[in-house]
Amino acid sequence: MLNIVLFGPPGAGKGTQSQLLIDQYHLMHLSTGDILRGEIAQGTELGLKAKSIMDRGDLIPDEVVISMIRSILEKNLNAKGFIFDGFPRTTTQAESLDEMLDELNTSISTMLSLDVDDDELTKRLLERGKSSGRADDANESIIRNRIQEYNNKTAPLKEFYTQQNKLQSIEGVGSIDAINAKLCEAIDQL
Ligand code: ADP
């Protein structure tokens, strides 16, 4: 299996690049943000609980997102591989993911980290907010909170995957196609 953690701060372009990679490598896209927004749209109990947390730009509790991922992995044992987008976001999530994949006799192949500076991220997210309808993109202080959550809780995962010799950093500024080409190059040399 080819299992990729597509990593980076909010607004780094993980969703856009995932869409290209799933077609190019026939992988399944697993975006916890998309799954949670789906729950909100359907008005499920989980969605109702998640909405206020997401609207503030805080992280959803680990056990909630871990059990979401577990149930999807268990239903897709025949997949060629997965792109994890927006997961893991904490060390606890990363440790659980390793355990879950180990139980399925597979593992993370690589972490591809898209690097973009904070000012560029804020600019992109405010721009996206004009059309996305996402409450968490609408206001600069919420965006700053999301970036801060990323810097405090999520960025340390680079060290986690460095220790496993899996981190590959990619400059996330440039055209969509140029960034895609760099990601493909990193995947193809695995
Ligand atoms: P972005 O990368 O632009 O922040 P996402 O769609 O990945 O967008 O995430 C949106 C929100 O969903 C996050 O701010 C957080 O509240 C919640 N969320 C998504 N994935 C996770 C996760 N793995 N752990 C905790 N919260 C998450």
Side-chain angles (χ1 to χ4, degrees):
M1 270 182 147
L2 176 62
N3 297 313
I4 297 169
V5 173
L6 191 54
F7 192 78
K14 301 184 296 291
T16 306
Q17 293 298 334
S18 291
Q19 289 306 325
L20 298 171
L21 295 174
I22 53 173
D23 288 338
Q24 289 161 327
Y25 294 91
H26 311 290
L27 303 175
M28 188 169 169
H29 185 204
L30 255 172
S31 158
T32 38
D34 286 351
I35 299 164
L36 289 163
R37 279 185 291 278
E39 297 281 338
I40 293 172
Q42 288 170 42
T44 64
E45 199 181 327
L46 169 59
L48 289 175
K49 279 193 205 144
K51 184 172 176 2
S52 58
I53 302 175
M54 289 173 74
D55 284 355
R56 287 198 300 272
D58 291 338
L59 293 186
I60 303 293
D62 285 334
E63 60 275 15
V64 174
V65 283
I66 290 167
S67 75
M68 273 172 23
I69 291 286
R70 182 188 301 281
S71 85
I72 297 174
L73 289 178
E74 284 169 354
K75 285 182 200 135
N76 291 281
L77 298 178
N78 293 325
K80 269 194 85 174
F82 298 93
I83 293 190
F84 296 94
D85 163 3
F87 181 91
R89 256 177 158 96
T90 63
T91 305
T92 303
Q93 292 179 21
E95 287 167 350
S96 292
L97 180 59
D98 275 357
E99 283 166 23
M100 289 189 275
L101 293 176
D102 194 46
E103 282 167 27
L104 302 174
N105 292 317
T106 185
S107 60
I108 292 297
S109 315
T110 186
M111 175 207 244
L112 303 175
S113 175
L114 290 170
D115 294 337
V116 180
D117 75 61
D118 289 2
D119 287 338
E120 169 72 15
L121 295 172
T122 309
K123 206 172 79 190
R124 286 186 190 179
L125 292 170
L126 282 170
E127 191 56 38
R128 182 171 83 184
K130 291 180 190 165
S131 55
S132 71
R134 278 177 58 172
D136 60 348
D137 286 345
N139 152 328
E140 185 159 346
S141 76
I142 296 171
I143 290 174
R144 294 270 172 210
N145 184 40
R146 286 160 64 200
I147 295 173
Q148 204 177 338
E149 285 275 85
Y150 171 82
N151 287 331
N152 291 339
K153 298 179 184 165
T154 308
L157 292 184
K158 285 193 201 176
E159 182 53 32
F160 181 92
Y161 287 97
T162 298
Q163 281 173 13
Q164 298 189 11
N165 246 317
K166 290 179 179 170
L167 171 70
Q168 302 196 70
S169 290
I170 280 127
E171 170 75 51
V173 183
S175 73
I176 290 173
D177 285 348
I179 296 166
N180 173 248
K182 286 190 273 184
L183 291 170
C184 291
E185 198 187 336
I187 295 168
D188 292 342
Q189 70 184 8
L190 285 174

